Amino acid sequence: MEEQPVQSVTADPLTVAALDTERHVAASGWDQPARLFALVRTAAVLDREPHLRAQMGPADLAPGALTAIEQEGLPATSSLETLLGRIAWPDEVDGCAFAIERIVVPPDAERDLPQRSESAVEALAAHPDRQDVRLLVAVLRDGSSICLLRQRAHDSDDAVATGKDIAPGLVAALRATFED
């Protein structure tokens, strides 16, 4: 996992959209539910909604730029697999981004966890070495992806880690939402 300042990231439309979406989520603070966004080519959005052009900056109008559209009303569930397994996208959607908060602990902290999942979650949440993180994963229909990770302890736009393989399981689950 490499940490890159926002300014040094290439102008790849997926990376730009992911960073913008992560900043949007971060602006609402911590302790949020999972959030899902459709990614649509900005040119297609402007074809349907030309009045939005006045609200966009130069980066929004760059070739291949993507616009994130939040999908509100996600059902509450304790299972990401169940939630993501119900999602399918129309052809007009070019990709998606998913933001979720998690607790990360050192590997040895998981050794002596209680058997009941509620008790295990409580034990992890109380662990002195726990780290709260927000993960944002964005994928396109063509299979390209980017993962971003923000730590609560280092909550700053210039301390967001980026990488392709931070959350391979979540990348695969989001790619599956585009399969027929």
Side-chain angles (χ1 to χ4, degrees):
M1 181 167 52
E2 60 191 63
E3 203 170 290
Q4 297 179 357
V6 172
Q7 296 82 359
S8 72
V9 175
T10 64
D12 167 57
L14 180 59
T15 301
V16 171
L19 286 165
D20 287 347
T21 304
E22 195 283 331
R23 275 190 231 107
H24 169 76
V25 172
S28 296
W30 287 87
D31 304 317
Q32 299 181 52
R35 294 173 70 178
L36 179 67
F37 300 82
L39 297 177
V40 180
R41 298 281 172 202
T42 302
V45 172
L46 292 176
D47 284 347
R48 285 181 294 235
E49 306 284 341
H51 65 280
L52 294 176
R53 184 177 297 278
Q55 300 172 26
M56 298 194 174
D60 299 320
L61 301 173
L66 295 159
T67 296
I69 303 167
E70 187 157 9
Q71 307 300 293
E72 297 180 354
L74 284 180
T77 178
S78 61
S79 167
L80 280 182
E81 293 82 8
T82 301
L83 174 66
L84 295 178
R86 293 185 210 153
I87 295 173
W89 299 102
D91 292 339
E92 298 80 22
V93 174
D94 298 290
C96 66
F98 188 72
I100 190 160
E101 294 179 10
R102 286 292 180 244
I103 297 170
V104 178
V105 294
D108 62 329
E110 297 180 25
R111 232 180 277 140
D112 298 320
L113 286 177
Q115 294 298 323
R116 287 185 8 161
S117 62
E118 297 86 17
S119 299
V121 170
E122 290 172 11
L124 291 173
H127 194 281
D129 294 327
R130 79 176 250 179
Q131 292 289 319
D132 294 331
V133 299
R134 179 180 302 113
L135 181 64
L136 184 129
V137 175
V139 302
L140 291 179
R141 281 187 186 273
D142 69 8
S144 56
S145 65
I146 186 76
C147 302
L148 286 73
L149 184 79
R150 181 185 292 251
Q151 295 180 10
R152 188 186 292 237
H154 304 285
D155 190 4
S156 143
D157 289 348
D158 64 350
V160 174
T162 63
K164 301 283 184 203
D165 59 354
I166 295 173
L170 189 50
V171 169
L174 290 175
R175 284 180 179 149
T177 66
F178 290 99
E179 296 172 1
D180 292 332

